[in-house]
Amino acid sequence: NKRVKGLIVSRPIYYGNIATPITGKKPANPDHTHRWTVMVKGLNNEDLSYYIRKVVFKLHETYPNPLRSIEQPPFELTETGWGEFEIMIKIHFQPITSEKPVTLYHHLRLHPFEDDLQGQPWPKDKPVLSLLYDELVFNEPTEAFREVLVKN
Ligand code: SLL
């Protein structure tokens, strides 16, 4: 498991959430106002499973089983709820990478920051999107991981 001295490799990711108000069919819990999906994505929906093994989302303790492990792409989780909170996102890499997990934090956003540019109220059925771009940086990857990276 030799590491490649001096090499730094990065991979782009998007992480965050989309949320829509629940209209029509009521959710199981009548207090829930929004349906949301939290996700870790590659560029252009690239499949990230060549180096990501699983993503664990840690939800607010008001949720049953707040630790949700997603072990196949797409690495995303859909839930319903009424409130915003911080989601801990822990990315676990494939064993071949010999990389330690990386933890990110995302503020789950259900409500728009402000009304839209024309001063109009945000349309009730328009999804709210809070997606951040980031780069996973691998400092001196192993030779095995470098092989995987150059092939993808
Ligand atoms: C708040 N600090 O008070 C936040 C907490 C928790 C949100 C928000 C689902 C809970 C359930 C849910 O939306 N929790 O189903 O019991 O705004």
Side-chain angles (χ1 to χ4, degrees):
N1 254 347
K2 257 182 73 192
R3 292 199 169 258
V4 187
K5 292 275 168 265
L7 183 65
I8 298 175
V9 183
S10 65
R11 279 294 180 271
I13 57 158
Y14 284 101
Y15 68 99
N17 81 279
I18 186 163
T20 38
I22 297 172
T23 56
K25 194 177 170 291
K26 285 283 152 226
N29 183 329
D31 293 336
H32 290 189
T33 55
H34 290 74
R35 177 168 285 107
W36 50 261
T37 301
V38 60
M39 62 194 88
V40 172
K41 291 163 67 74
L43 248 50
N44 307 314
N45 288 317
E46 179 197 15
D47 181 349
L48 299 178
S49 59
Y50 68 93
Y51 75 102
I52 294 180
R53 178 166 65 89
K54 65 174 181 178
V55 176
V56 179
F57 299 98
K58 185 166 183 256
L59 308 183
H60 193 265
E61 63 261 24
T62 49
Y63 282 90
N65 315 311
L67 276 183
R68 307 289 178 87
S69 183
I70 307 297
E71 319 213 338
Q72 264 109 59
F75 298 108
E76 60 179 45
L77 170 75
T78 298
E79 258 295 357
T80 60
W82 51 263
E84 299 187 343
F85 58 91
E86 200 89 85
I87 300 180
M88 192 179 96
I89 301 173
K90 194 164 177 182
I91 301 175
H92 296 258
F93 299 104
Q94 295 290 5
I96 193 164
T97 70
S98 305
E99 293 289 332
K100 293 196 200 70
V102 165
T103 301
L104 305 169
Y105 292 87
H106 172 70
H107 178 85
L108 175 70
R109 191 163 286 286
L110 304 184
H111 306 288
F113 284 105
E114 52 191 278
D115 290 341
D116 74 16
L117 291 174
Q118 285 81 34
Q120 301 299 311
W122 192 268
K124 293 232 178 328
D125 51 354
K126 186 172 170 181
V128 168
L129 184 66
S130 174
L131 205 56
L132 297 176
Y133 175 85
D134 207 344
E135 278 172 9
L136 295 170
V137 177
F138 303 106
N139 206 356
E140 302 197 334
T142 62
E143 283 176 355
F145 186 20
R146 184 184 53 179
E147 289 289 300
V148 170
L149 289 166
V150 297
K151 274 189 278 172
N152 284 279

